[in-house]
Amino acid sequence: MQHLGYTRSSHQRDHLLLTGDTFVRAPLPGMEKATAIVHVSPAAGAAFTQYTVEFEAGGSVATAGHQRFLYVLEGEVTLGSRTLAPDQYAYLPADCSTPIAASAAARAAVIEKPYRPLPDAAAPHLLFGDERTVPATPLDGDPDLEVRALLPGHAAFDFAVNTMTYQPGAALRMVEIHVMEHGLLMLAGGGIYRLGDHWYPVTAGDFIWMAPYCPQWFGALGKTPAKYLIYKDWNRHPL
Ligand code: UGY
Ligand code: MN
């Protein structure tokens, strides 16, 4: 059907909502038989880059340069001898030069951030995980809102990536306003996201960037849980 120029996507000073109908694909250097949908980058004001990489069979993405977080969305990807299936993930330190590859079509979320070292903490090493086996913590004691921290909380890591799962009707207890920025990929379900002074219906597949201090709130709607993958800068002094 003709969309007559309508989209739910929105670009505001302190946030960005990107829906699948506005995604633009382009290769990045080091990609073979793979393409990227760059959701956010310093060009939009973010201090990190997040993209979805879409692999064709036999596709690969070169690494090194920056630390990365890799989360498989569909199909299987390999990193050296390790194979990662949906909901499995890896943290790749900046000196990791093993390419990410896929023998069949696959999709993965990638987050890159220049590492900010601390004088008294060694940089983190390569790490693998499986979201489905990460213990859940109820947010603010709410059993209907589960947080799973995918990376260790210690100070060597300068960012966090969590999943948040909301039972239908569950909501953030407060409108958050904080110094950390967020990159958010809706993995399942949907609801209403408040960003700044806007309230958006959001659904699986949408991407959201929240700048530092962007007022934010989410309430889950529908009959199935809503779940998102969320990045935030963490463990570093703001100056
Ligand atoms: O970790 C967070 O700041 C998270 N509660 N924010 C959010 O879900 N928008
Ligand atoms: Mn937040």
Side-chain angles (χ1 to χ4, degrees):
M1 198 174 86
Q2 171 57 263
H3 52 69
L4 298 173
Y6 176 76
T7 178
R8 285 185 298 110
S9 287
S10 180
H11 183 195
Q12 305 294 329
R13 183 195 61 80
D14 62 354
H15 66 269
L16 185 58
L17 167 64
L18 293 173
T19 60
D21 54 306
T22 56
F23 289 173
V24 172
R25 290 156 175 83
L28 294 178
M31 290 188 167
E32 301 284 342
K33 292 187 168 181
T35 188
I37 304 158
V38 179
H39 300 303
V40 76
S41 75
F48 68 103
T49 293
Q50 181 163 350
Y51 54 90
T52 296
V53 53
E54 295 178 337
F55 295 90
E56 294 170 35
S60 64
V61 176
T63 59
H66 291 302
Q67 62 175 350
R68 282 183 180 74
F69 181 85
L70 168 74
Y71 189 98
V72 179
L73 300 168
E74 208 178 313
E76 285 185 346
V77 308
T78 56
L79 193 73
S81 59
R82 297 287 294 244
T83 300
L84 302 176
D87 298 316
Q88 296 184 321
Y89 61 89
Y91 166 81
L92 287 66
D95 61 0
C96 172
S97 55
T98 312
I100 306 163
S103 57
R107 289 191 313 120
V110 178
I111 296 164
E112 299 177 356
K113 176 186 184 298
Y115 183 63
R116 282 183 65 190
L118 281 183
D120 48 357
H125 297 296
L126 182 68
L127 174 153
F128 293 96
D130 186 333
E131 195 268 345
R132 295 159 302 181
T133 61
V134 173
T137 308
L139 186 70
D140 299 321
D142 182 350
D144 290 335
L145 208 180
E146 293 179 334
V147 182
R148 288 177 176 79
L150 305 188
L151 293 176
H154 59 73
F157 287 91
D158 65 354
F159 69 92
V161 183
N162 302 331
T163 59
M164 297 187 56
T165 307
Y166 296 70
Q167 293 307 312
L172 284 176
R173 173 178 75 80
M174 58 187 275
V175 178
E176 296 178 6
I177 303 181
H178 50 61
V179 65
M180 299 84 79
E181 61 179 333
H182 285 309
L184 182 159
L185 190 62
M186 286 297 297
L187 297 175
I192 300 292
Y193 230 107
R194 178 190 170 161
L195 300 167
D197 292 332
H198 301 255
W199 278 255
Y200 299 98
V202 296
T203 189
D206 292 351
F207 175 83
I208 295 170
W209 169 65
M210 295 170 235
Y213 302 108
C214 175
Q216 56 199 257
W217 174 89
F218 178 68
L221 288 175
K223 294 191 173 180
T224 56
K227 180 174 176 181
Y228 52 74
L229 181 76
I230 184 165
Y231 157 94
K232 63 179 161 185
D233 46 306
W234 196 238
N235 279 332
R236 293 296 181 271
H237 194 284
L239 270 184

